[in-house]
Amino acid sequence: MERTLSIIKPDGVSRGLTGEVIKRLEDNDLKIVAMKMIHMTRAQAEGFYAVHRERPFFESLTDFMSSGPVVVMVLVGEDAIKRYRDLMGATNYKDAVPGTIRADFATDIEKNVVHGSDAPETAAFEIGYFFNRFEIVG
Ligand code: ATP
Ligand code: MG
C-alpha cells in the first residue's frame, strides 16, 4: 500500500468540482485517510512548491495556490501515486487523455484542478507538510 497527497486546487473548489473529484477517487479504490479544507498563505504555497522555485511560473503558481481555499487529502491504495496521476491526466490539459480529471475540467496549464505527488519521497514530504500523524486515519 502506498500513500499520496492530493489537492483540489482553488479553481476546482471554486467551480464546485470537489464532489466530482472525490467521487472519481473513491470509484478507483483510492481511499481517503485524511482530508481538510485550508486557505494557504503565499508563504505556505511557496514552501509547498519549493522544488519549483527557479521555474518561470513559480510566482504565478504560488499566487494562484494561495488565491482561495483548497481541499487537501491523503490517499492510500496499491500503486496510489501512479494510479492517482493517471486519473489526474497530463499537467497540460490539452495533452491529457479524455476521461481524466484535467482533460474533463481544466481550463489552463496552471489552473488544472488537482495536484498529486509524483514519487514516494515527494509524497512523504507533501503529506508531512499538511498533516500530522493524528490527522491520518489508517
Ligand atoms: P502538480 O504538481 O500540481 O500535481 P504536475 O506534477 O503535473 O502538477 P508540475 O510540473 O509539478 O506538474 O507543475 C506544478 C504545477 O505548476 C502544475 O500543476 C501547474 O499548475 C503549474 N505549471 C506547470 N507547468 C506550468 C507552465 N508551463 N506554466 C504555468 N503553470 C505551470
Ligand atoms: Mg508536480
Side-chain angles (χ1 to χ4, degrees), residues 84-92 95-97 100-103 114:
Y84 173 47
R85 286 186 72 87
D86 288 347
L87 283 183
M88 287 171 26
T91 309
N92 188 343
D95 302 328
V97 174
T100 61
I101 294 167
R102 285 166 168 172
V114 281

Side-chain angles (χ1 to χ4, degrees), residues 59-103:
E59 195 170 329
S60 173
L61 174 63
T62 52
D63 193 43
F64 163 56
M65 289 300 286
S66 58
S67 68
V70 299
V71 173
V72 192
M73 293 174 276
V74 179
L75 311 178
V76 171
E78 208 169 304
D79 205 14
I81 294 172
K82 180 181 186 305
R83 287 200 304 113
Y84 173 47
R85 286 186 72 87
D86 288 347
L87 283 183
M88 287 171 26
T91 309
N92 188 343
Y93 72 103
K94 290 178 182 166
D95 302 328
V97 174
T100 61
I101 294 167
R102 285 166 168 172

